[in-house]
């Protein structure tokens, strides 16, 4: 899967911009505030018509414009697609594939998949469990729609149960339905744990290999899944997981009433990481935890490939500057297979780098370097 070319008009700081890309590594470099992340955002938008940082389409449209357009030539599942997104200040967006208007953004996600890594993700290992759960949820949702359904259902039940536990003293009648909620949560929760456990098992294998290579064989990264304590084996059948959650609920029933909050269930899960046998969160250096976070994302990308048969497009925003020379070289030279976009402030150095280089300044390609060629504008949807 790859983006061969893109045209942007009225998207962020881009006006009448077009560029073509290599099927391998593309480095987008330039000074601060020139449009590197904006370009990555536009590529990310091709998958599911969502931005990782904008709250709505209006943010994406050029300040002085009423309409923003992203047009891209994409190759996926052995076919070529022309994708187009038209964003409007005053009305609903329009999405097209090969000039045919789409009903839902989900149809785009079926063509392009991306794995994005941005500077905030560098702290994934050191940050709170909620960020790591969000990482797991995002990845598994893309691979397994059934997981998304179970998670949504679980979260709705959790919200209700939280309200019951908060208000039961004022309104003791609420306690009559508490048991029904526990039962339904244990059922949805067992599915959530089932999918997380299987995903983490596969992720752990891949991430371990990647970290070893990243660190020149010096770092052994291991992942483990911390879930409801009465569950001995998260890979057990869902009926066993269900029983484990029910037992934990019983043990904590009094505690939950006293604490007035929900103490039992996979909403407290965590993904634990160890480097060379020590908790990465507590003991690892900045560089080690950044590398480990990157290893998790690269592992996610490999799982996608194994699952769908295609490499998703990897978007790495501004991660190189935080790594030492050897780790930088690993990112630039060793991520093989699939298309990769990497932004940074400097052009890559060294003979070994053979990818495409795009120098961006004020929303324009700087010509005359070994840079992505201007591509001929392709015919947009009417
Ligand atoms: P850095 O190296 O600091 O991360 P960058 O090259 O990634 O910089 P971008 O985040 O891509 O920079 O932003 C480039 C510029 O785009 C910013 O100066 C910002 O003000 C501008 N910009 C953001 N949104 C819009 C918009 N809707 N319309 C016009 N310009 C915008
Ligand atoms: Mg940026």
């Amino acid at each position: 899967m790859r983006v061969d070319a893109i045209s942007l008009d009225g998207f962020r700081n881009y006006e009448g911009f077009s560029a073509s890309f290599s099927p391998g590594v593309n480095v987008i470099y330039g000074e601060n505030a020139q449009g590197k992340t904006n370009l990555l955002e536009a590529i990310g938008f091709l998958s599911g018509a969502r931005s990782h940082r904008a709250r709505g389409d209006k943010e994406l449209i050029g300040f002085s414009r009423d309409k923003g357009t992203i047009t891209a030539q994409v190759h996926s599942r052995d076919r070529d697609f022309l994708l187009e997104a038209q964003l409007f200040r005053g009305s609903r967006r329009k999405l097209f594939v090969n000039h045919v208007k789409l009903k839902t953004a989900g149809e785009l996600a079926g063509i392009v998949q991306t794995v994005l890594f941005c500077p905030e993700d560098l702290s994934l290992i050191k940050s709170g469990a909620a960020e790591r759960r969000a990482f797991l949820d995002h990845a598994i949702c893309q691979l397994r729609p059934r997981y998304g359904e179970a998670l949504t259902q679980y979260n709705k039940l959790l919200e209700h149960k939280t309200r019951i536990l908060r208000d039961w003293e004022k309104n003791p009648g609420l306690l009559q339905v508490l048991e029904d909620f526990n039962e339904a949560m244990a059922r949805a929760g067992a599915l959530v744990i089932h999918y997380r456990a299987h995903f983490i098992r596969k992720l752990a294998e891949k991430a371990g290999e990647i970290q070893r290579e990243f660190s020149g064989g010096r770092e052994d990264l291991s992942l483990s899944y911390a879930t409801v304590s009465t569950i001995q084996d998260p890979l057990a059948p869902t009926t066993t997981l269900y029983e484990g959650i029910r037992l934990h609920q019983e043990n904590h029933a009094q505690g939950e009433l006293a604490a007035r909050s929900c103490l039992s269930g996979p909403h407290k899960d965590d993904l634990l990481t160890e480097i060379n046998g020590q908790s990465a969160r507590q003991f690892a250096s900045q560089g080690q935890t950044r590398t480990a976070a990157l290893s998790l994302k690269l592992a996610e990308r490999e799982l996608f490939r194994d699952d769908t048969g295609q490499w998703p497009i990897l978007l790495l925003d501004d991660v190189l500057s935080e790594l030492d020379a050897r780790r930088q070289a690993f990112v630039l030279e060793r991520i093989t297979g699939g298309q990769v976009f990497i932004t940074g402030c400097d052009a890559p150095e060294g003979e070994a780098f053979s990818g495409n280089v795009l120098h961006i300044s004020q929303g324009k390609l700087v010509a005359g370097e070994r840079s992505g060629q201007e591509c001929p504008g392709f015919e947009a949807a009417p």
Side-chain angles (χ1 to χ4, degrees):
M1 169 187 318
R2 57 174 203 261
V3 181
D4 289 324
I6 202 163
S7 289
L8 304 174
D9 191 40
F11 181 86
R12 297 273 193 193
N13 66 333
Y14 287 98
E15 304 272 342
F17 171 90
S18 37
S20 53
F21 304 123
S22 139
V25 178
N26 295 270
V27 170
I28 299 163
Y29 83 100
E31 292 176 5
N32 293 133
Q34 302 303 307
K36 303 182 298 294
T37 302
N38 293 346
L39 181 53
L40 225 57
E41 186 179 36
I43 297 167
F45 197 84
L46 300 173
S47 152
R50 260 185 312 158
S51 151
H52 67 287
R53 56 179 187 167
R55 268 158 304 160
D57 289 353
K58 279 191 205 111
E59 269 181 53
L60 301 172
I61 301 170
F63 294 141
S64 57
R65 303 283 298 264
D66 289 325
K67 179 184 174 188
T69 314
I70 307 174
T71 316
Q73 193 74 55
V74 166
H75 188 84
S76 174
R77 301 189 307 246
D78 298 323
R79 288 171 57 197
D80 289 320
F81 296 90
L82 180 69
L83 309 186
E84 181 169 1
Q86 299 178 357
L87 311 175
F88 301 94
R89 227 171 250 295
S91 54
R92 277 173 64 90
R93 53 160 69 164
K94 292 182 187 155
L95 306 170
F96 302 87
V97 172
N98 297 334
H99 304 294
V100 178
K101 191 160 175 263
L102 301 186
K103 291 199 180 69
T104 67
E107 292 173 66
L108 274 188
I111 300 174
V112 179
Q113 281 109 40
T114 56
V115 169
L116 168 88
F117 194 80
C118 59
E120 295 85 75
D121 293 324
L122 285 166
S123 54
L124 189 64
I125 307 289
K126 293 266 183 192
S127 57
E131 278 83 358
R132 285 183 292 281
R133 282 195 299 273
F135 160 71
L136 292 174
D137 291 344
H138 182 77
I140 309 170
C141 279
Q142 290 201 65
L143 285 170
R144 297 279 179 270
R146 188 111 196 271
Y147 175 77
E149 288 163 24
L151 186 67
T152 306
Q153 197 196 1
Y154 181 84
N155 285 336
K156 268 191 206 145
L157 293 163
L158 174 64
E159 216 177 285
H160 275 241
K161 183 175 164 185
T162 305
R163 252 181 280 147
I164 295 172
L165 289 170
R166 196 190 55 203
D167 298 339
W168 72 270
E169 270 174 328
K170 268 183 273 157
N171 187 358
L174 288 174
L175 293 179
Q176 285 171 6
V177 290
L178 192 56
E179 195 39 34
D180 295 340
F181 275 97
N182 280 337
E183 211 275 326
M185 276 176 81
R187 239 179 301 143
L191 270 182
V192 169
I193 293 172
H194 166 82
Y195 281 108
R196 285 182 181 169
H198 283 82
F199 179 78
I200 291 170
R201 182 173 56 95
K202 287 188 265 174
L203 190 76
E205 254 173 56
K206 303 269 186 201
E209 281 169 32
I210 295 167
Q211 181 93 6
R212 241 188 317 281
E213 237 193 290
F214 229 138
S215 60
R218 277 183 292 191
E219 286 163 25
D220 189 29
L221 171 70
S222 59
L223 307 183
S224 56
Y225 178 28
T227 185
V228 177
S229 62
T230 46
I231 291 177
Q232 254 98 58
D233 176 15
L235 292 164
T238 45
T239 46
T240 314
L241 300 177
Y242 169 85
E243 283 157 18
I245 301 176
R246 293 296 277 161
L247 177 63
H248 197 266
Q249 286 172 338
E250 268 171 47
N251 295 347
H252 290 78
Q254 289 307 318
E256 286 189 331
L257 290 176
R260 296 154 141 266
S261 73
C262 190
L263 306 174
S264 180
H267 58 284
K268 302 232 162 235
D269 282 359
D270 199 355
L271 171 67
L272 304 180
T273 50
E274 286 185 355
I275 295 175
N276 296 339
Q278 302 287 353
S279 160
R281 197 164 176 221
Q282 284 169 284
F283 299 110
S285 78
Q286 296 268 34
Q288 280 179 316
T289 52
R290 285 175 184 147
T291 314
L294 202 47
S295 297
L296 290 186
K297 283 276 173 163
L298 296 179
E300 176 193 345
R301 168 179 173 267
E302 293 197 1
L303 291 187
F304 257 97
R305 197 273 318 261
D306 290 356
D307 211 74
T308 65
Q310 295 197 96
W311 287 106
I313 296 166
L314 180 65
L315 306 173
L316 300 175
D317 192 16
D318 215 9
V319 297
L320 290 182
S321 57
E322 307 280 352
L323 303 173
D324 66 28
R326 196 162 46 92
R327 289 178 200 234
Q328 282 190 17
F330 175 87
V331 175
L332 288 168
E333 291 151 26
R334 302 304 301 277
I335 300 177
T336 50
Q339 194 177 30
V340 186
F341 292 88
I342 305 175
T343 69
C345 290
D346 304 306
E349 288 170 13
E351 299 282 297
F353 180 71
S354 59
N356 185 33
V357 182
L358 297 100
H359 183 181
I360 298 286
S361 176
Q362 298 184 351
K364 293 193 169 51
L365 263 184
V366 179
E369 300 177 38
R370 49 169 187 155
S371 184
Q373 320 88 32
E374 289 270 336
C375 70
F378 19 88
E379 224 185 307

